Amino acid sequence: MTHTNKQKMKKILLSSVSLFALLLAFTSCDKENASDVNQNKIYTDYEVFYDKNTDKTWAVARFRFGGPTGTLLELDSTAYVLFNQDTLAYNGLFGGHFKEYAGRISTGSFTYKNVDGAIFVNSIPACDTIAFLPSFTTLQKSQAQTITWGGSTLAANQAVGVFVGSWTWGQDALVFQDADGANNLVLGITQMSNLALGSATVYMDRQTDVAVSQGTSEGGRIRSKYRALNKVIQVIN
């Protein structure tokens, strides 16, 4: 995986960790109508995200003009996007077309029709489950810490991100692993330097992220993501 793709995946993993990131997207991103742009220049980004903590699944389809960092677009006129058979309505908080489901959805496809009548169908990739081990109860700031997860090792196009957070801005840590065959990741002393002593909540996301099989010349990505049950641990010296 290239350095650029690693950075993109890190951002993807971190973006779903907290509501702060969603609110940032809501307040800082302008959007345009998809019918106003060249339909062949629309980049597509699809995600199905299951959170074990809430037992809910989010399906989100985002459209951007000109590439992954381009202007957000809202489908209008005759354009639409479906997840399975459900039409996804635009949701400003998510910066895309969104629907929430009860329980875990691990299979399905997005169907996108643009105003020119072209139809693109993309199935979500498989994503394994993941969990914290019962033995993971503390993080010691004075030495590097290995976090081993319960679940299968990583395969191609898979990654795991762990975020240690608190309610105080800046007192957090993020670590990322995408090496094929890995079953753990390591938090270094520098990464943990901002953590406050005491109780902290640890989040862990696993994802499979691949290029779309059907899209415009701008391409796109499609991913499945699984969030483990959060773990409350103690941060010690």
Side-chain angles (χ1 to χ4, degrees):
M1 178 177 293
T2 66
H3 175 73
T4 300
N5 284 338
K6 284 185 178 181
Q7 290 300 111
K8 289 178 182 177
M9 291 184 76
K10 286 181 182 180
K11 291 177 182 178
I12 290 164
L13 286 164
L14 180 58
S15 69
S16 66
V17 166
S18 70
L19 182 60
F20 294 115
L22 290 175
L23 290 175
L24 180 62
F26 177 65
T27 57
S28 63
C29 294
D30 295 326
K31 67 176 177 66
E32 296 181 6
N33 289 331
S35 63
D36 293 335
V37 304
N38 183 335
Q39 300 298 288
N40 291 322
K41 299 292 290 182
I42 295 178
Y43 177 92
T44 53
D45 184 275
Y46 306 110
E47 179 173 300
V48 171
F49 171 53
Y50 173 72
D51 189 341
K52 181 71 171 176
N53 299 275
T54 61
D55 192 31
K56 293 180 180 181
T57 297
W58 294 345
V60 187
R62 297 182 179 93
F63 302 88
R64 291 183 179 272
F65 177 65
T69 61
T71 302
L72 281 171
L73 301 172
E74 179 180 356
L75 300 184
D76 66 324
S77 184
T78 57
Y80 62 79
V81 61
L82 309 175
F83 179 66
N84 293 334
Q85 301 303 312
D86 297 323
T87 300
L88 305 186
Y90 189 83
N91 186 310
L93 181 62
F94 288 84
H97 295 255
F98 168 86
K99 186 172 177 62
E100 184 176 70
Y101 297 88
R104 185 186 180 201
I105 297 177
S106 57
T107 61
S109 61
F110 290 89
T111 301
Y112 160 49
K113 179 183 177 182
N114 67 20
V115 295
D116 291 338
I119 296 176
F120 308 93
V121 181
N122 289 275
S123 297
I124 61 175
C127 183
D128 292 339
T129 62
I130 196 169
F132 290 105
L133 296 180
S135 58
F136 176 54
T137 57
T138 60
L139 280 177
Q140 187 173 354
K141 291 182 62 175
S142 61
Q143 62 185 41
Q145 305 282 290
T146 298
I147 301 175
T148 301
W149 61 77
S152 61
T153 59
L154 294 182
N157 303 310
Q158 296 181 353
V160 169
V162 168
F163 180 81
V164 186
S166 73
W167 288 106
T168 302
W169 180 258
Q171 294 182 353
D172 50 38
L174 174 69
V175 64
F176 173 82
Q177 174 65 274
D178 70 345
D180 292 359
N183 71 340
N184 62 50
L185 36 70
V186 177
L187 267 172
I189 294 174
T190 301
Q191 290 167 302
M192 293 188 290
S193 62
N194 292 328
L195 294 179
L197 299 179
S199 179
T201 301
V202 189
Y203 306 79
M204 181 162 59
D205 287 356
R206 180 175 190 146
Q207 71 171 26
T208 305
D209 182 293
V210 298
V212 295
S213 60
Q214 295 186 17
T216 69
S217 59
E218 289 296 331
R221 307 294 297 179
I222 185 166
R223 75 191 60 84
S224 295
K225 188 181 297 182
Y226 181 100
R227 173 165 294 170
L229 285 174
N230 299 340
K231 191 74 177 282
V232 177
I233 55 97
Q234 293 296 312
V235 179
I236 61 176
N237 279 318

